């Protein structure tokens, strides 16, 4: 009614906006909308050029609103038919008024902007299509989901996500480190560090030596020691040492970014954390897993839902349970004490085995020493969790809490093992560095003997040509570290696969075929088929990734190895799960949100980059192998690049920026910013609680049906 | 990507991509699944927007739905006629809402409609009893069923009218940690 008093031009804009709100609040029949559409068309064709600037603004707003509606159309709870009609109308409206909106000087630019944004949207859509076509193993995961439910499938989805990360790390190390050195660096055999020493040449091709990553495998792009310290290689003048250093830093930075981004996304989705106020509601409305597509799994699910309801009812009825609280407390303390003993015992065992193997390192061959350490670590990793499981029976916790304790203990076990391994490695590094000093001294003696005393030290005689294979070598501790990590990963993988084959496959075969001639029912009683251990497998995956992060700087081949390993694991475990496992009877997730495992991954990422950073910053590189040989510290390559490749003023700016007088206030500022953000987030949480309470009282006081209906309309 | 398909016009495919959470390839794959249910009823040419409905029995026998205790309600909620007989549009709609990419609010809206058995825009006591019996296959006693339903209404009913409205339901379900992962069908 108010519109009739305005000019006809306003009528068009106003009518359009009114039409929009009309569409959003009601659901007219398609025929009705055609009538309205025709009405708008029949209105005088108002040319946008003849509108004044405010009317133009209003028209622009209407066009923008329509555009936003098109973007948000997917999320509206309307049937597709209605959405298609609205989509078509909005698109026609936008086309009709948009192209002509820019007037005068700005017109061409506006039309150009519109064209570009259309092309951009089309590109985005094609890219999305391409991305979803690239996602591997979708059907495999779907099959597992329908047989085992979403918690088992979540492990495989996590595996796939890890595979993606490792693929990117592989591309970085392969493309920027391994390929340039292989193609543009000096070829094999030209300089001492790239040649197998004369003493080892006869056994360099043996399978046993290659499997242990010695021989030709050691003197290749796979390990740190092969790389030359030449500042620029090839016709591209590729800065090899700089690239090596930056790729090492870049892999860690990329991993941090991806993990934190995923955590932030998960945190957004799951909203407020664990809350127990809707216990029965959640059991009723979110317990059925819609992914299930298999009758046996469905049966299991029905049974577990029934059990869970019965348990909840029992808990509700017996909410006062204080008898035997002292006994329970005592048992829990006892259990924790036993677990601590186990952890201490396993740590001491690893330390003992490593020291023993060092003492006898001359007698035993390298391979036997490795087998001792890795075997002990893998066996501990297999048996201690079972022991923790048995001990936790004393504690009498709710299954979800018990699972969290179990995961925490296994985490502590693996962490202890890993750090004991690193301490042993540090001892080795120190040994090798002492050896290096001795060898440096020996080389000067050897060089003097080459001239046989015929020429004095300071004269300029032509240098004697020697075969690179005959030059005495330093021990190259970095390659040794890389080799240790590669061997650890390989033995860990082998252990996992063998455990899988024996523990799951052999067990299933025995249960299946011995059942015909056995006294009791093997399938229903002991041992029956195994269940898929989601949390154990996820932890194994996380720790493996930690080892990759630790060793990738010293062995550029590690990401490639890991990609291969994950690829094989995916197929092997998918097959094993479908063939030998049965669906779990009771499903308890470790926590409500997915962030539990992400948080663990972040902790491991931090803890595994610490040793690598420590060695880079404190230990000087070997004098004759690797891209940083000859420097005082590995990060000197940055200083060198700044001095030689960048203009002088850049170096000055950088030196000012790295001045402690500037860095310290900056760090102080960041600490203050963190404190400020923390306190605002706390106050937001409190405001949230207040609003929640207010919402309850306000809704209670209003007339229920009418206002709620309009609230719903406004919400949508 | 080849444009060789003749089932839909390019505009139709673009419109479907704007209205659902599916990409072009997924929409064509869904059409193949729809057609596989009844090849003689579903034509290969949808450019003229034919009016083809598949009866509920065919939909309910799909491997993704056949073990779901709520399959009848799902089909009823998403079908145009409210009886479970679905056109291709309804089919796409259903799997789009149940896909991984649909947001929490959209899923909560449709979950509410699915659990509202008598279609009165409220989840009342009888709806809850039916839901619980479907979930436990009638294994709980009458007392237990009554107790659970009372607790459910106690916990979530904000306006104290003895039944759950859409707001009550949404308020409760957006905080559920498992909702997004269980209210999901992969196709």
């Amino acid at each position: 009614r108010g519109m009739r008093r305005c000019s006809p031009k306003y009528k068009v804009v106003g009518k359009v906006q009114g039409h929009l709100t009309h569409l959003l609040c009601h659901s007219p029949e398609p025929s009705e909308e055609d009538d309205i559409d025709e009405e708008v068309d029949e209105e005088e064709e108002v040319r946008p050029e003849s509108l004044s600037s405010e009317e133009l603004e209003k028209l622009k707003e209407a066009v923008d609103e329509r555009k936003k509606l098109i973007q948000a159309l997917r999320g509206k709870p309307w049937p597709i038919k209605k959405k298609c009609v609205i989509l078509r109308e909005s698109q026609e409206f936008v086309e009709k008024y948009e192209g002509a909106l820019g007037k005068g000087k700005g017109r061409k630019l506006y039309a150009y902007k519109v064209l570009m944004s259309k092309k951009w949207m089309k590109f985005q859509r094609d890219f999305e299509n391409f991305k979803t076509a690239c996602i591997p193993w979708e059907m495999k995961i779907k099959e597992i989901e329908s047989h085992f439910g979403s918690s088992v499938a979540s492990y495989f989805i996590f595996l796939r996500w890890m595979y993606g990360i490792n693929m990117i790390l592989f591309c970085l190390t392969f493309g920027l480190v391994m390929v340039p050195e292989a193609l543009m660096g000096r070829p094999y055999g030209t300089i001492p560090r790239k040649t197998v020493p004369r003493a080892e040449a006869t056994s360099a091709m043996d399978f046993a030596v290659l499997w242990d990553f010695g021989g030709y495998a050691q003197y290749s792009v796979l390990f740190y020691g092969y790389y030359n310290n030449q500042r620029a290689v090839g016709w591209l003048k590729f800065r090899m040492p700089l690239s090596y250093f930056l790729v090492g830093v870049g892999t860690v930075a990329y991993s941090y970014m991806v993990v934190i981004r995923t955590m932030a996304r998960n945190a957004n989705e799951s909203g407020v954390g664990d809350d127990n106020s809707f216990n029965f509601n959640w059991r009723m409305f979110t317990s059925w897993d819609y992914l299930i597509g298999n009758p046996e799994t469905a049966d299991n699910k029905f049974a577990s839902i029934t059990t869970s309801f019965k348990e909840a009812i029992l808990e509700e009825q017996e909410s006062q349970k204080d008898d035997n609280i002292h006994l329970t407390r005592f048992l829990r303390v006892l259990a924790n004490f036993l677990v601590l003993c186990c952890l201490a015992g396993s740590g001491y065992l690893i330390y003992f085995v490593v020291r023993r193997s060092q003492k006898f390192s001359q007698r035993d061959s390298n391979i036997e020493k490795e087998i001792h350490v890795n075997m002990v670590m893998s066996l501990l990793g297999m048996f201690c969790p079972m022991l923790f499981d048995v001990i936790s029976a004393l504690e009498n916790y709710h299954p979800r809490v018990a699972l969290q304790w179990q995961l925490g203990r296994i985490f502590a076990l693996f962490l202890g093992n890993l750090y004991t391994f690193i301490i042993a490695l540090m001892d080795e590094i120190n040994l090798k560095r002492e050896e290096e000093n001795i060898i440096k001294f020996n080389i000067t003696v050897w060089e003097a003997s080459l001239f046989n005393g015929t020429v004095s030290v300071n004269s300029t005689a032509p240098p004697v040509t020697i075969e690179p294979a005959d030059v005495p070598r330093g021990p190259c501790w970095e390659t040794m570290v890389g080799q240790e990590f590669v061997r650890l990963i390989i033995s860990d993988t082998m252990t996992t696969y063998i455990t899988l084959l024996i523990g799951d496959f052999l067990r299933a075969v025995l249960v299946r075929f011995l059942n015909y001639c056995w006294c009791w029912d093997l399938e229903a009683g002991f041992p029956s088929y195994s269940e898929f251990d989601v949390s154990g497998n996820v932890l194994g995956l996380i720790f493996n990734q930690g080892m990759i992060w630790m060793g990738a700087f010293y062995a550029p081949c590690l990401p490639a190895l890991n990609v291969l390993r994950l690829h094989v694991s995916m197929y092997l475990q998918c097959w094993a799960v479908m063939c030998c496992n049965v669906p779990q009877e009771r499903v308890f997730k470790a926590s409500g949100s997915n962030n539990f495992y992400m948080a663990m991954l972040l902790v491991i990422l931090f803890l595994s980059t610490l040793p690598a950073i420590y060695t880079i910053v404190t230990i000087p590189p070997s004098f004759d192998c690797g891209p940083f040989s000859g420097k005082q510290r590995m990060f000197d390559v940055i200083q060198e690049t700044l001095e030689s490749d960048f203009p002088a003023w850049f170096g000055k700016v950088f030196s000012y920026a790295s001045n402690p007088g500037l860095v310290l206030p900056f760090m102080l500022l960041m600490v203050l910013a963190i404190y400020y953000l923390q306190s605002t987030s706390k106050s937001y949480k409190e405001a949230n609680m207040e609003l929640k309470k207010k919402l309850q009282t306000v809704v209670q006081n209003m007339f229920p049906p009418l206002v709620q209906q309009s609230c719903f309309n406004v919400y949508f | 990507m080849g444009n060789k398909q003749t089932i839909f016009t390019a505009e139709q495919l673009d419109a479907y991509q704007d209205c659902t959470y599916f990409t072009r390839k997924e929409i064509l794959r869904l059409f193949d699944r729809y057609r596989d249910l009844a090849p003689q009823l579903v034509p290969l040419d949808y450019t003229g927007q034919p009016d083809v409905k598949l009866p509920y029995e065919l939909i309910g026998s799909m491997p993704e739905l056949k073990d779901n205790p709520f399959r009848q309600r799902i089909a009823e909620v998403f079908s145009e006629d409210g009886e479970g007989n679905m056109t291709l549009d309804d089919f796409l709609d259903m799997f789009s809402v149940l896909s991984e990419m649909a947001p929490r609010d959209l899923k909560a809206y449709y979950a509410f409609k699915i659990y509202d058995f008598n279609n009165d825009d409220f989840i009342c006591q009888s709806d809850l009893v039916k839901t619980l019996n479907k979930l436990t296959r009638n294994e709980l006693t009458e007392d237990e069923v009554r107790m659970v339903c009372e607790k459910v209404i106690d916990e979530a009913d904000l306006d104290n009218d003895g039944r759950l409205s859409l707001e009550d339901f949404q308020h409760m379900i957006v905080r559920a940690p498992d909702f997004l992962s269980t209210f999901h069908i992969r196709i």
Side-chain angles (χ1 to χ4, degrees), chain A residues 74-75 77 83 125 129 138 142 145 269 280-282 284 286 290 293-294 299 302 696 700 708, chain B residues 14 17-20 23 64 67-68 104 106 109 115 135 137 151-152 155 158-159 172 182 184 186:
Chain A
R74 282 190 191 108
K83 281 194 223 183
R125 172 171 295 169
N129 283 350
E138 187 77 357
K142 176 180 167 170
E145 266 172 343
E269 274 176 20
F280 279 89
N281 268 283
W282 290 345
M284 180 162 308
T286 64
Y290 281 58
N294 173 262
D299 286 339
F302 284 124
Q696 272 187 326
Q700 273 170 9
Q708 282 179 16
Chain B
D14 279 341
Q17 282 189 61
D18 278 330
C19 295
T20 65
T23 61
E64 285 86 358
D67 293 301
N68 194 324
R104 195 178 283 259
L106 188 64
Y109 175 80
Y115 295 123
L135 274 177
R137 286 203 288 210
K151 275 298 290 181
V152 164
E155 280 173 356
L158 291 176
D159 49 8
M172 175 270 297
T182 54
H184 167 215
R186 192 187 293 267

Side-chain angles (χ1 to χ4, degrees), chain A residues 188-324:
Chain A
Y188 172 83
T190 43
I191 41 178
R193 67 185 64 176
K194 297 198 182 198
T195 328
V196 177
R198 187 72 64 181
E200 297 173 22
T202 45
S203 63
M205 204 55 190
D206 290 349
F207 180 74
V209 171
L210 282 180
W211 178 259
D212 199 38
F213 287 91
Y216 284 118
Q218 181 176 345
Y219 295 95
S220 67
V221 283
L222 298 179
F223 290 102
Y224 176 98
Y226 184 82
Y227 293 83
N228 198 5
N229 66 342
Q230 196 176 347
R231 210 174 71 85
V233 286
W235 53 274
L236 273 178
K237 294 279 182 265
F238 190 78
R239 307 279 191 264
M240 193 67 225
L242 182 71
S243 154
Y244 195 98
F245 188 79
L246 287 181
V247 163
V249 169
T251 50
V252 172
Y254 171 74
S255 308
Y256 266 114
M257 195 188 76
V258 158
V259 172
I260 291 185
R261 193 178 62 174
T262 313
M263 278 182 84
R265 211 185 297 153
N266 283 344
N268 269 339
E269 274 176 20
S270 67
V272 187
D274 287 307
D275 206 346
N276 258 327
S277 45
F278 293 115
N279 200 4
F280 279 89
N281 268 283
W282 290 345
R283 268 177 224 254
M284 180 162 308
F285 294 117
T286 64
S287 57
W288 179 261
D289 197 349
Y290 281 58
L291 286 165
I292 292 178
N294 173 262
E296 192 185 305
T297 320
D299 286 339
N300 262 343
K301 194 70 182 171
F302 284 124
S304 90
I305 291 179
T306 312
T307 318
S308 121
F309 269 112
K310 290 201 179 190
E311 265 181 16
I313 294 174
L314 221 62
E315 266 178 40
E316 186 64 25
Q317 284 169 348
E318 301 180 21
S319 44
Q320 304 282 355
K321 209 177 190 185
D322 11 64
D323 47 342
N324 283 343

